[in-house]
Amino acid sequence: MPVGPTTRRRQLGADLRRLRELKGLTLEEAGARVGISKATLSRYETKEGTVKWPAVDALCREYGAPDEERLALVELAKGAKIQGWWRSLADPIPESMNLMLTLEDEVVREDHFACMYIPGLLQTRAYAEAVHRASEVQCLEREVQHMVDIRMKRQELLERADPPHLWCVIDEAALRRQVGGRDVMREQLQHLLTMSQRPLVTVQVLPFSSGAHAAAVGSFAVLRGPRRDLDVVYVDLIGGGLFMEKQPELERYRLAFEYLSAQALDLESSAETVDRISKEP
């Protein structure tokens, strides 16, 4: 199964390229000075494949990087192949989910717009089971439970000592869609209310009354890294998802989320709406 680049690896590549360009060296010139090929250095900078930390150390010295930055990049190189808890799972997971878990393990904030279902990080188990059964109609029950187990494990991200800020704008349609039946929905909406009380969980409702909006095409998430240039957008598709990291794409989705948040209800009104819907017969 292909392994997506970790945030550490992406950050390392971006920093190596920045330092080389500041020094005014071409890939070929910089590689020759430390004894690695142009192709190898290009791979280091394009965030793909493994890196050798002694080469990173030599490059940083050649570029004249301050000792503090050089040591930090060497540590990034040493940690670039660290893999998360999901690598030990007996059953395989979809490639798009593999990359999502890799990136999500190191985000500092996630911005979600949800128009079909409650965001996965805020789902109850019963609700998640109903979603997977509906989405994967040909899946065996064992496969459904495997995917739900992964979703539940993902939610431990919010229990970390330093959890990311989770900001969700949820279309009213997702609150009213009867996933799993009335009891499952009531439990899900009450769980959503409980989670929204956490300091780093923001939940806004986009009401039907807001009319047309900036994301009529569907749900998406902006996964925000330690730096702005490490952000990634995830867009839901049938059978998986699409990841985008080009700056024009990122800006488009960042702006769309800002517009959606501005059109949505404030936090107090959102909570009142969720509570009211949960109590409807």
Side-chain angles (χ1 to χ4, degrees):
M1 177 173 56
V3 176
T6 65
T7 302
R8 296 180 184 89
R9 181 65 182 84
R10 296 169 64 235
Q11 182 175 343
L12 176 63
D15 283 339
L16 287 176
R17 179 174 182 175
R18 174 180 55 80
L19 287 171
R20 176 179 59 79
E21 291 177 344
L22 284 173
K23 191 70 173 178
L25 297 173
T26 65
L27 285 168
E28 189 170 11
E29 290 169 342
R33 293 190 182 191
V34 298
I36 62 176
S37 69
K38 174 183 176 181
T40 297
L41 182 53
S42 176
R43 178 171 55 78
Y44 277 26
E45 292 186 6
T46 52
K47 315 161 191 175
E48 298 176 357
T50 59
V51 293
K52 295 181 179 179
W53 72 260
V56 171
D57 183 75
L59 286 166
C60 288
R61 292 178 186 277
E62 190 62 44
Y63 297 153
D67 286 344
E68 183 177 357
E69 183 173 17
R70 174 178 59 81
L71 293 172
L73 291 183
V74 167
E75 287 305 308
L76 275 180
K78 290 178 178 179
K81 294 197 294 182
I82 292 176
Q83 298 178 343
W85 53 265
W86 57 94
R87 302 295 180 198
S88 63
L89 294 174
D91 294 330
I93 61 175
E95 183 179 343
S96 62
M97 178 58 68
N98 167 52
L99 184 51
M100 169 66 86
L101 294 170
T102 301
L103 295 170
E104 197 169 59
D105 202 38
E106 296 171 343
V107 296
V108 298
R109 173 173 154 177
E110 292 192 25
D111 295 340
H112 288 256
F113 171 65
C115 62
M116 180 67 71
Y117 300 123
I118 305 300
L121 289 174
L122 299 177
Q123 291 180 4
T124 64
R125 185 174 189 93
Y127 183 94
E129 288 174 351
V131 168
H132 279 289
R133 290 192 187 107
S135 302
E136 307 290 343
V137 292
Q138 295 182 330
C139 271
L140 299 174
E141 183 61 20
R142 176 176 176 274
E143 295 172 337
V144 169
Q145 293 303 321
H146 173 58
M147 294 306 295
V148 173
D149 285 344
I150 293 173
R151 179 155 296 181
M152 296 298 103
K153 186 70 175 176
R154 272 181 64 206
Q155 294 180 0
E156 293 182 10
L157 179 72
L158 301 178
E159 307 300 331
R160 294 190 322 201
D162 58 339
H165 183 181
L166 178 63
W167 192 320
C168 302
V169 175
I170 304 175
D171 194 284
E172 185 176 343
L175 302 177
R176 294 188 175 279
R177 182 168 287 105
Q178 292 288 303
V179 176
R182 191 61 201 145
D183 290 342
V184 169
M185 278 306 300
R186 184 174 291 110
E187 178 192 34
Q188 173 61 71
L189 294 178
Q190 287 300 316
H191 178 67
L192 183 62
L193 278 175
T194 299
M195 294 299 292
S196 71
Q197 300 305 309
R198 295 191 177 196
L200 291 178
V201 176
T202 301
V203 174
Q204 290 184 273
V205 174
L206 186 67
F208 290 145
S209 60
S210 66
H213 55 70
V217 293
S219 302
F220 66 89
V222 182
L223 307 176
R224 298 182 182 266
R227 294 196 324 237
R228 190 174 176 84
D229 62 340
L230 296 176
D231 291 356
V232 177
V233 167
Y234 173 81
V235 180
D236 272 339
L237 299 174
I238 294 177
L242 175 66
F243 291 89
M244 297 179 287
E245 59 178 331
K246 293 182 179 179
Q247 287 306 310
E249 297 165 339
L250 287 170
E251 285 303 321
R252 187 177 304 120
Y253 279 93
R254 289 189 191 109
L255 187 59
F257 188 81
E258 289 178 9
Y259 281 143
L260 289 163
S261 179
Q263 288 179 277
L265 300 176
D266 61 34
L267 302 188
E268 183 177 354
S269 298
S270 293
E272 290 172 353
T273 300
V274 174
D275 186 52
R276 183 177 69 252
I277 294 174
S278 75
K279 295 175 180 176
E280 291 177 355

